[in-house]
Every structure is written in structure tokens, then in C-alpha cells.
């Protein structure tokens, strides 16, 4: 008789191994690739079992709005990667951000956030929460005194993104976590730009991490998704019920795509980061480029903070071209490999002009405060041969 294969505790495995093997649940068919469970509901052998499941006395799946085996594998694999006790997947990154914030607050509470946020996150903090009686204050994320000054007795939670979109400003997560905790509030970090491989906000003191899994986690521009990661208590108190009752669930199909994508995440992020470093160097040396923003470069204003909290500079590079909108447009229109798109974290390199796309909604003075001028471009570096990308940039700049 063949004895069953031993399986290692995933906590003892390194990241890349966890991402290939972690949290797999095999069906009776012993498939190598994780199964896609496209089902809305589940059968119970008896009424007693149904009752026990609903009471929470017995583990098992109930309804795919809040529990599905494929989604559960994705959530558990994400939790293993992040070093989090618990994870919940959502239909998009914005569903994750909204749930993580809305799930914590009630009318009369106050929220503090860094002002350099992705536009839709800014909408949640600046417009949506106040409509329900939750006041918000926006601060310059790199100014720790501004965080201290913004805290109030009724501050419930704080929110930041680092590196920020699009100028790749780096916020000291550990320092902000300390300020926020001293004020009795929690810290939520949008870790999209850093990826779960290059920065671990929970280890730096954050209480909750959110992702647009649409970005590097899928990494191939196919499906939308989001993830919320935190302690069991945080998820049980603030997130689980909010998601269960309001229903922004990740579809099992999208969860399956992303589960499989996690297997290649370390290889992709490492290659994209290496190429981003090379392209940042190339751009910094080009006469038509006024300034390069890349957290892995010594000339980055928060280089030391980035070095302390990130294990790599990331897959995005921002730069200012010598000229204004006309020159920025002419340059991007002349590219032949790098595509024009507001998306990021894709295998395909993508470039965007934040002033006229992702940050168009902002008032001119808000854009100016964030350093988003007419010559600024944001490049998301893909998996192409980096020398082809250098040539593409060089030809378009020429
Ligand atoms: C930093 C950041 N947070 C959140 C989101 C929202 O994610 P999604 O588009 O998956 O809703 C995005 C991108 O769209 C983003 O860039």
C-alpha cells in the first residue's frame, strides 16, 4: 500500500513555495492544478447539517456570495503570502477599499488619509464617507506632524497608499502606524504599488492591507479583483459581515485565474522590478527627461524610507519630460511597444499621462500639490525584453 505523501506546514515554507503549493485543496480526483468550483450553492446531507452550518457549529460552505472553495484557496494563499491571519477577496480593488473603510466607521467618526490617493479611493474618503456623517481630513502623507495634528478623539481609522500614484512618494508606514495607534485608531494600507512581495505593511504596524488584485496579482490584464488582509479579529469585527451582507464577492472564475497567477508572481515582480530599475536609469540619463521618480534610486526624496520598508523599488517609474502636455503626448504617441493605458501591473508595459486621465478629476491646485504637471508620465513596466523597451523609449524621445 502506498502511504500518503507528507505535507509540510506552509508557514515553514518560503514565499515562492507558498505561492505554488500553499492552501491547495484537492478534490477526490487528485488534480494537480487547483479546481474551479463554479457553483452558487452547496448541498447538505441532512437538515441537521444545514442547521449546524448556518449556526456556525460546523465548518463548510453555505453560499458563494461569502464562501466558495476556489475563492477560499485564493484567500488563504494570499494570507500565507502576506503573513496575515485572515483574508477576504472582493470583486475589485475598490470593493476591498470601500469595505475596509466603511466596515469600520459609523456616523460621528472621523477618518484621516494621505492626500496622494488613487482617485476612487479619494472619492470614498472625501465624498462617500462624509455623506454618511463620517468626517475626513486629508494630510500630506510624508509629513508626520500633519498626521499627528489631524488625529482627533473620534478618529477611527487612517488610510494611505505607498508608494503613491503617480509620483511614487514613499510614506513611512511604521511611523504613521505609531501615530495612528497612539490616537486609538487603526491603519489601512493600500499596498498595490509595492506588491505583497516588496513590502509587508502588517509587519510595519498596519492593521489592514488592501489590494487591487487586478494589478500585479492577476498580472496579465484579464480579471478584476481585490483582497483585504488583517487579523482574524479585524476581519471578524469589521469586514466579514459587511461583505457577507452587501455582496461585492469575487467570482470563483476570477479567483481561480488569480490563484494560478500567484504561482508566477515572484518571478514576474522580480523581472519587472529589474527592468524598472534599468529604465529609470536610462530615463535619468536622457537629455529630454527633467526628472525621474523611482523609489529604488538614491535621488528619490524618500530613498532611505523606501530602503527601510521595501525590498525593491517596484515595477513603476514616473518621469517628467522636458516640455508640457504637447510634448508628453507626442512622446507617448510615438511609442510602439509600450501601450497607452491607465492600468498597471500588467505583463505588457503601459504608459499614462496622469494629468489628463487618472487624476483629471482633481482640481488644478490639488494636482499641483501632488506634483502632477503636464509633463509627468507614469510607466508600468512589463515583462518584455528590457532592451526592446529602452529602444522604444529612446526612439520616441528622439
Ligand atoms: C492604488 C490603487 N488602489 C486601488 C485601485 C482600485 O482597484 P480596482 O480597479 O481593482 O477596483 C487602483 C486601480 O485601479 C489603484 O491603482
Amino acid at each position: 500500500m502506498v502511504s500518503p505523501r507528507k505535507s509540510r506546514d506552509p508557514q515553514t515554507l518560503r514565499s515562492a513555495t507558498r505561492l505554488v503549493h500553499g492552501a491547495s485543496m484537492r478534490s477526490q480526483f487528485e488534480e494537480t492544478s487547483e479546481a474551479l468550483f463554479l457553483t452558487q450553492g452547496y448541498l447538505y446531507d441532512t437538515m441537521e447539517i444545514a442547521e449546524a452550518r448556518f449556526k456556525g457549529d460546523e465548518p463548510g460552505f453555505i453560499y458563494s456570495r461569502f464562501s466558495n472553495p476556489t475563492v477560499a484557496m485564493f484567500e488563504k494563499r494570499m494570507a500565507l503570502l502576506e503573513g496575515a491571519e485572515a483574508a477576504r477577496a472582493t470583486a475589485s480593488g475598490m470593493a476591498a477599499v470601500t469595505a475596509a473603510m466603511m466596515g469600520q466607521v459609523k456616523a460621528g467618526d472621523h477618518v484621516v488619509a494621505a492626500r496622494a490617493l488613487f482617485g476612487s479611493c479619494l472619492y470614498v474618503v472625501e465624498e462617500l464617507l462624509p455623506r454618511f456623517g463620517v468626517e475626513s481630513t486629508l494630510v500630506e502623507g510624508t509629513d508626520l506632524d500633519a498626521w499627528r495634528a489631524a488625529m482627533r478623539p473620534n478618529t477611527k481609522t487612517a488610510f494611505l497608499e505607498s508608494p503613491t500614484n503617480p509620483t511614487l512618494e514613499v510614506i513611512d508606514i511604521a511611523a504613521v502606524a505609531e501615530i495612528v495607534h497612539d490616537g486609538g485608531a487603526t491603519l489601512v494600507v493600500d499596498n498595490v504599488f509595492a506588491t505583497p512581495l516588496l513590502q509587508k505593511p502588517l509587519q510595519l504596524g498596519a492593521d489592514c492591507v488592501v489590494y487591487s488584485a487586478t494589478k500585479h496579482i492577476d498580472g496579465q490584464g484579464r480579471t478584476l479583483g481585490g483582497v483585504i488582509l488583517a487579523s482574524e479579529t479585524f476581519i471578524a469585527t469589521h469586514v466579514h459581515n459587511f461583505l457577507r451582507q452587501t455582496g461585492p464577492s469575487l467570482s470563483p472564475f476570477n479567483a481561480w485565474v488569480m490563484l494560478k497567477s500567484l504561482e508566477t508572481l515572484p518571478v514576474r515582480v522580480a523581472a519587472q522590478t529589474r527592468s524598472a530599475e534599468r529604465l529609470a536609469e536610462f530615463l535619468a540619463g536622457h537629455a529630454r527627461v527633467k526628472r525621474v521618480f523611482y523609489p529604488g534610486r538614491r535621488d528619490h526624496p524618500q530613498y532611505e524610507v523606501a530602503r527601510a520598508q521595501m525590498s525593491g523599488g517596484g515595477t513603476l517609474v514616473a518621469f517628467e519630460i522636458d516640455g508640457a502636455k504637447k510634448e508628453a503626448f507626442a512622446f507617448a504617441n510615438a511609442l510602439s511597444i509600450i501601450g497607452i493605458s491607465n492600468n498597471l501591473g500588467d505583463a505588457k508595459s503601459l504608459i499614462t499621462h496622469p494629468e489628463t486621465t487618472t487624476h483629471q478629476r482633481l482640481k488644478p491646485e490639488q494636482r499641483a500639490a501632488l506634483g502632477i504637471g503636464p509633463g509627468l508620465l507614469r510607466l508600468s513596466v512589463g515583462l518584455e525584453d528590457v532592451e526592446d523597451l529602452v529602444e522604444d523609449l529612446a526612439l520616441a524621445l528622439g
Side-chain angles (χ1 to χ4, degrees):
M1 200 175 118
V2 182
S3 59
R5 269 165 52 88
K6 277 187 255 155
S7 64
R8 281 261 299 271
D9 173 3
Q11 304 291 349
T12 66
L13 300 170
R14 291 165 183 83
S15 269
T17 318
R18 288 181 185 193
L19 287 171
V20 177
H21 295 284
S24 268
M25 285 192 284
R26 291 212 163 82
S27 75
Q28 72 272 31
F29 300 115
E30 295 285 349
E31 60 280 354
T32 40
S33 174
E34 292 77 2
L36 166 54
F37 291 93
L38 270 185
T39 182
Q40 297 165 345
Y42 307 87
L43 297 174
Y44 314 102
D45 270 353
T46 63
M47 297 299 260
E48 287 75 14
I49 291 175
E51 183 184 22
R53 289 235 185 123
F54 269 80
K55 272 189 177 164
D57 290 347
E58 184 192 285
F61 298 96
I62 295 177
Y63 187 54
S64 285
R65 176 166 12 92
F66 49 88
S67 56
N68 172 281
T70 309
V71 178
M73 283 191 268
F74 173 61
E75 291 172 338
K76 285 193 186 133
R77 198 171 275 182
M78 277 301 304
L80 279 172
L81 168 63
E82 195 73 40
E85 284 176 10
R88 287 293 182 280
T90 55
S92 69
M94 281 323 301
V97 171
T98 307
M101 299 305 284
M102 295 284 276
Q104 290 191 80
V105 292
K106 60 178 184 336
D109 287 340
H110 172 242
V111 168
V112 185
R115 68 180 170 188
L117 290 182
F118 172 62
S120 303
C121 299
L122 204 56
Y123 165 80
V124 171
V125 171
E126 247 194 330
E127 293 184 37
L128 187 64
L129 292 177
R131 271 176 30 202
F132 295 90
V134 179
E135 282 188 296
S136 60
T137 306
L138 295 176
V139 297
E140 168 53 52
T142 55
D143 181 351
L144 297 178
D145 288 333
W147 285 98
R148 275 186 209 100
M151 295 298 294
R152 297 187 199 160
N154 60 339
T155 306
K156 255 296 174 36
T157 186
F159 182 62
L160 66 86
E161 164 187 320
S162 181
T164 64
N165 181 17
T167 52
L168 307 176
E169 231 176 48
V170 176
I171 300 177
D172 187 335
I173 296 173
V176 174
E178 203 180 315
I179 294 167
V180 166
H181 291 160
D182 283 350
T186 61
L187 176 63
V188 178
V189 174
D190 181 336
N191 206 32
V192 165
F193 273 49
T195 81
L197 289 155
L198 303 180
Q199 179 169 273
K200 304 274 188 203
L202 296 179
Q203 289 173 13
L204 296 164
D207 302 278
C208 176
V209 181
V210 288
Y211 288 101
S212 164
T214 314
K215 308 298 183 303
H216 304 84
I217 291 171
D218 173 336
Q220 286 140 91
R222 299 163 297 187
T223 54
L224 286 133
V227 196
I228 306 170
L229 299 118
S231 66
E232 295 275 12
T233 310
F234 187 101
I235 296 286
T237 315
H238 304 299
V239 178
H240 178 76
N241 220 24
F242 184 91
L243 292 177
R244 177 175 176 149
Q245 314 302 353
T246 60
S249 336
L250 181 64
S251 90
F253 178 77
N254 288 4
W256 179 79
V257 169
M258 291 180 178
L259 178 71
K260 301 307 292 173
S261 279
L262 285 179
E263 295 177 352
T264 56
L265 183 68
V267 182
R268 288 186 281 110
V269 169
Q272 285 167 278
T273 300
R274 268 196 311 277
S275 296
E277 285 165 6
R278 164 89 174 97
L279 296 184
E281 189 64 24
F282 165 76
L283 288 165
H286 199 285
R288 286 204 56 211
V289 174
K290 278 207 307 212
R291 200 166 162 202
V292 170
F293 305 86
Y294 185 66
R297 286 177 60 82
R298 279 182 189 281
D299 58 6
H300 187 281
Q302 295 92 34
Y303 173 68
E304 290 304 330
V305 181
R307 225 162 68 110
Q309 69 185 24
M310 295 175 71
S311 55
T315 69
L316 287 120
V317 183
F319 58 101
E320 248 170 27
I321 198 162
D322 191 13
K325 178 179 157 185
K326 185 168 155 263
E327 288 75 17
F329 273 30
F331 156 71
N333 288 337
L335 292 164
S336 61
I337 299 171
I338 300 168
I340 299 171
S341 172
N342 49 292
N343 205 9
L344 62 101
D346 197 312
K348 295 182 169 59
S349 292
L350 303 170
I351 198 157
T352 192
H353 185 248
E355 186 193 46
T356 51
T357 59
T358 50
H359 293 69
Q360 193 192 112
R361 248 188 75 238
L362 269 56
K363 297 184 194 98
E365 58 274 19
Q366 281 178 306
R367 277 199 296 267
L370 294 174
I372 303 169
L376 184 78
L377 291 146
R378 189 200 70 195
L379 173 62
S380 168
V381 181
L383 286 170
E384 301 91 342
D385 188 308
V386 70
E387 295 313 319
D388 284 331
L389 298 177
V390 169
E391 277 172 29
D392 201 23
L393 291 171
L395 282 170
L397 283 166

